[in-house]
Amino acid sequence: MVWLGACSKGLTPLIILDKGTVYHQRYINQVLLVALKYDNNVFANEWTLQQDGAKPHTHVATQEWCQNNFSSFIDKDHWPPNSPDINLLDYSIWDEFGQQINWTKVQSKKTLINELKRAVKRIRESAVLGSCQGWTNRLYRLSNNNGNYLK
């Protein structure tokens, strides 16, 4: 499992969670602490954390931790549980990431991890910025579509 954050200023560090199940405490310790550091270094607390509906994200302890540590985040009750149309990573960045991977080099877990690390550095800045610029438009279109999926 991998975690990556995207915003108009670029990408967070890639986090590879390659051993065991990701429960809420592991998510807090290995992912959210990195996101918080990125938040403080890049935005000085002027951004909003958006998560999807994965169990580690919606767990009560995770929600409480986010409330106590981020200047702003969208809690589980205010974000659609399955919202690929308005998640920067789901509708754009993961595709770009996948295109940057040299799949012929992937022969094992170790080579996959090496290739993931290499590929994330090759994600085009224009792809990230374009995804962010399209986000507001997608929100508007989604609201005009009564929250239903976009076609």
Side-chain angles (χ1 to χ4, degrees):
M1 184 179 295
V2 297
W3 180 89
L4 183 66
C7 64
S8 62
K9 299 215 179 196
L11 300 171
T12 65
L14 177 69
I15 298 174
I16 298 172
L17 302 157
D18 64 330
K19 294 180 179 140
T21 302
V22 180
Y23 294 104
H24 69 279
Q25 195 59 53
R26 184 173 180 205
Y27 176 67
I28 291 169
N29 293 342
Q30 293 183 287
V31 174
L32 292 180
L33 286 172
V34 171
L36 183 62
K37 182 178 178 182
Y38 186 81
D39 170 25
N40 292 336
N41 291 339
V42 175
F43 293 103
N45 290 323
E46 295 182 11
W47 74 310
T48 300
L49 177 70
Q50 167 198 331
Q51 306 177 100
D52 63 21
K55 286 184 181 185
H57 304 180
T58 61
H59 190 278
V60 66
T62 303
Q63 293 288 297
E64 183 177 304
W65 192 94
C66 290
Q67 184 70 42
N68 292 333
N69 290 279
F70 287 104
S71 57
S72 178
F73 90 104
I74 301 171
D75 67 39
K76 67 178 183 69
D77 296 326
H78 292 94
W79 190 258
N82 187 7
S83 54
D85 287 327
I86 50 178
N87 183 319
L88 294 174
L89 292 169
D90 285 352
Y91 74 78
S92 181
I93 305 300
W94 287 131
D95 182 58
E96 174 76 12
F97 189 25
Q99 289 179 27
Q100 297 301 333
I101 294 172
N102 183 344
W103 293 102
T104 61
K105 290 186 176 183
V106 177
Q107 303 294 322
S108 65
K109 182 177 176 179
K110 182 179 178 180
T111 58
L112 173 62
I113 289 171
N114 289 338
E115 198 52 30
L116 293 171
K117 290 176 181 178
R118 187 194 65 74
V120 76
K121 295 175 185 173
R122 298 190 67 206
I123 294 174
R124 296 171 299 128
E125 185 179 321
S126 61
V128 176
L129 187 56
S131 181
C132 291
Q133 289 172 334
W135 189 74
T136 303
N137 180 43
R138 294 178 80 81
L139 283 177
Y140 176 77
R141 288 177 48 217
L142 194 65
S143 73
N144 284 343
N145 198 30
N146 296 319
N148 294 318
Y149 289 105
L150 302 176
K151 294 178 182 182

